[in-house]
Amino acid sequence: MKASLNTQIFIAVIASLLCGLTLQQIDIDSSVYKKTIFVCGIIGNTFVDLLKMILIPLVFTSITVGVAHLRHHHNMHQIWKTTLVFFLFTSSIAVFLGLGASNLFHLGAGLDIHLFDTELQKFNTQSLTLQEFTSHFFHSLFINPLAAMVHGDILAVVIFALFLGIALIVLAEKAQTILNMTEELLAIIMLIVNWIMKVAPIGIFALLTKLVATQNIALLSTLAKFIVVVIGTTLFHGFVVLPLVLFAITRISPLFFFKGARESLITAFATSSSSATLPVTLRCAETHLKVDKNIAGFVVSLGATVNMDGTALYEAAAALFIANLTGIELNLLQQTIVCITAMLAAIGAPGIPSAGMVTMVMVLQSVGLPAEAIAILLPIDRLLDAVRTVVNVEGDMIGSLVVQKLTKLNQ
């Protein structure tokens, strides 16, 4: 009897941890280590590239069809409003958790910043003020949709898909042919997603093996307190706060949710990308969690672009960590500014190279912290990114369940 995809992925995770830990015991200059990491890199990158290959058409068709099927302006407005309120609510909780944990555990206090001179010397910061970030962000929303698709500007594709979906509602029967074609394209893309998922265990095994094998143990031990607190707080938000919100509003069991969302959460951890994981997330939301495909297409696709609880929490905690490390005490007003800026930065900045690093720099500069200090976080960012991406993706799926429940109650 063939094992289910969930079981195959679980076995791949366990095997990758064992292989990664074994590789850590091997000399990094040996041919075995180099060849294994090289092969894992090719396989893992190919899996991620397969997911990215269908990302843009999936986002475009799922949002267009989702919005068009809402049919009534009032219903669409209700879903849009509920989605944004939920995203803002959970992101606010995440930011306050990040700041609270940093204050409680005094992250960075007692560490000598000179320990990180090598990292600081290698890093060249890219400055971006809040005004520049805002200008870039809004400029990236409304651009040529074909150019957005070519360059992978997901948020711009989302905006155009929203407009197209609304136009299909207004034109109704006059545009039925276009709607039918879009529905058929979405069905084809979801079939391709199912094909890609057949090789997911292999891709996840390769990605996690390389992640575990290439971690710098010495640096991890130096920053152990920061890593443990940030991961612990992020997991608390993901495995306590969000499930409680889900249960309080929908009465859906956290056990049922995690069982249905497992494929997506493991893929998110392996790829460290909400966008790359989107095809899997949509599949889980619609197939396993029984979210209406139109609501899932809208909420999950939008969330993969703008809803980043884990990122917001991390950037708030990292700002206080760097403040303590450099001996700068942030007052209540400055911490409030960090909260607001971290929430804005978590939305992302499409079209800006190295957007994640740029937005982290923006958070630091908002309260006068040295932007160069971000170099300290770069060597451990891959590990932390994997964890916060899991929570980002989880928030999108929980959001779709909450929106479905609230909008049905009010219809």
Side-chain angles (χ1 to χ4, degrees):
M1 183 177 177
K2 187 178 179 180
S4 67
L5 181 61
N6 262 329
T7 303
Q8 291 178 45
I9 290 176
F10 179 74
I11 293 172
V13 171
I14 300 300
S16 66
L17 293 177
L18 294 175
C19 288
L21 292 173
T22 302
L23 285 171
Q24 283 192 351
Q25 309 306 315
I26 300 176
D27 183 5
I28 61 173
D29 293 322
S30 68
S31 61
V32 173
Y33 181 91
K34 290 181 178 178
K35 288 178 181 178
T36 305
I37 295 299
F38 175 73
V39 172
C40 285
I42 291 178
I43 296 173
N45 291 336
T46 300
F47 174 62
V48 173
D49 289 340
L50 283 171
L51 292 172
K52 288 182 176 180
M53 175 185 73
I54 59 170
L55 174 62
I56 293 297
L58 177 62
V59 169
F60 174 71
T61 54
S62 61
I63 289 188
T64 300
V65 171
V67 172
H69 279 178
L70 297 177
R71 293 297 179 189
H72 305 295
H73 292 283
H74 173 70
N75 193 25
M76 185 187 65
H77 175 70
Q78 191 179 44
I79 290 174
W80 170 265
K81 185 168 60 175
T82 306
T83 300
L84 290 186
V85 169
F86 176 81
F87 287 169
L88 182 62
F89 173 67
T90 56
S91 293
S92 300
I93 295 175
V95 169
F96 284 116
L97 275 176
L99 287 176
S102 293
N103 281 304
L104 179 64
F105 293 100
H106 305 289
L107 296 183
L111 276 180
D112 185 358
I113 196 169
H114 295 295
L115 288 171
F116 309 102
D117 280 345
T118 302
E119 285 79 17
L120 290 172
Q121 289 171 4
K122 290 190 296 185
F123 183 73
N124 292 318
T125 183
Q126 181 178 354
S127 178
L128 189 69
T129 66
L130 180 59
Q131 291 81 2
E132 290 171 335
F133 170 82
T134 305
S135 176
H136 275 289
F137 177 73
F138 281 102
H139 177 68
S140 67
L141 294 182
F142 310 105
I143 61 178
N144 185 314
L146 295 180
M149 292 178 183
V150 169
H151 296 294
D153 294 330
I154 300 176
L155 196 52
V157 174
V158 168
I159 295 297
F160 179 72
L162 289 173
F163 276 113
L164 183 58
I166 294 170
L168 291 174
I169 291 176
V170 174
L171 291 174
E173 296 301 323
K174 293 181 181 179
Q176 190 60 44
T177 302
I178 298 296
L179 178 57
N180 290 340
M181 289 175 59
T182 311
E183 289 173 343
E184 291 170 5
L185 180 58
L186 177 58
I188 292 171
I189 292 168
M190 291 308 295
L191 177 61
I192 296 174
V193 170
N194 290 332
W195 291 346
I196 294 173
M197 286 307 296
K198 292 183 184 300
V199 300
I202 300 172
I204 288 171
F205 169 81
L207 288 167
L208 290 184
T209 297
K210 183 178 179 181
L211 172 63
V212 174
T214 54
Q215 290 303 295
N216 186 326
I217 301 300
L219 188 59
L220 291 183
S221 62
T222 304
L223 298 172
K225 183 178 180 181
F226 175 75
I227 293 170
V228 169
V229 171
V230 169
I231 289 180
T233 309
T234 304
L235 293 179
F236 177 80
H237 182 73
F239 288 88
V240 178
V241 175
L242 289 177
L244 281 177
V245 172
L246 174 66
F247 182 75
I249 297 174
T250 67
R251 297 299 172 187
I252 292 175
S253 160
L255 186 62
F256 169 80
F257 170 78
F258 285 115
K259 184 178 179 181
R262 184 164 53 188
E263 289 175 18
S264 176
L265 299 182
I266 292 174
T267 306
F269 184 84
T271 62
S272 295
S273 171
S274 299
S275 296
T277 309
L278 180 57
V280 189
T281 308
L282 273 174
R283 181 177 181 272
C284 288
E286 295 174 14
T287 305
H288 304 320
L289 300 177
K290 308 303 180 185
V291 180
D292 180 271
K293 66 179 182 179
N294 300 315
I295 290 178
F298 175 76
V299 178
V300 173
S301 298
L302 184 65
T305 313
V306 303
N307 182 44
M308 304 287 176
D309 289 5
T311 303
L313 187 156
Y314 166 72
E315 294 195 345
L320 261 71
F321 167 74
I322 289 173
N324 289 333
L325 188 63
T326 54
I328 300 173
E329 185 174 348
L330 300 182
N331 58 36
L332 183 60
L333 175 61
Q334 289 173 313
Q335 292 193 29
T336 302
I337 293 172
V338 167
C339 282
I340 297 171
T341 313
M343 289 177 66
L344 289 173
I347 294 173
I352 302 176
S354 305
M357 290 300 100
V358 172
T359 53
M360 187 67 231
V361 169
M362 185 184 73
V363 174
L364 298 179
Q365 290 183 331
S366 69
V367 287
L369 294 173
E372 294 77 8
I374 194 177
I376 298 167
L377 302 174
L378 291 178
I380 61 170
D381 187 66
R382 178 64 178 85
L383 175 62
L384 298 177
D385 193 17
V387 177
R388 63 181 182 258
T389 302
V390 171
V391 175
N392 291 343
V393 169
E394 179 194 354
D396 299 338
M397 286 186 283
I398 287 180
S400 67
L401 288 164
V402 168
V403 169
Q404 177 169 263
K405 177 69 172 179
L406 293 179
T407 52
K408 282 191 175 181
L409 284 175
N410 294 311
Q411 282 179 359

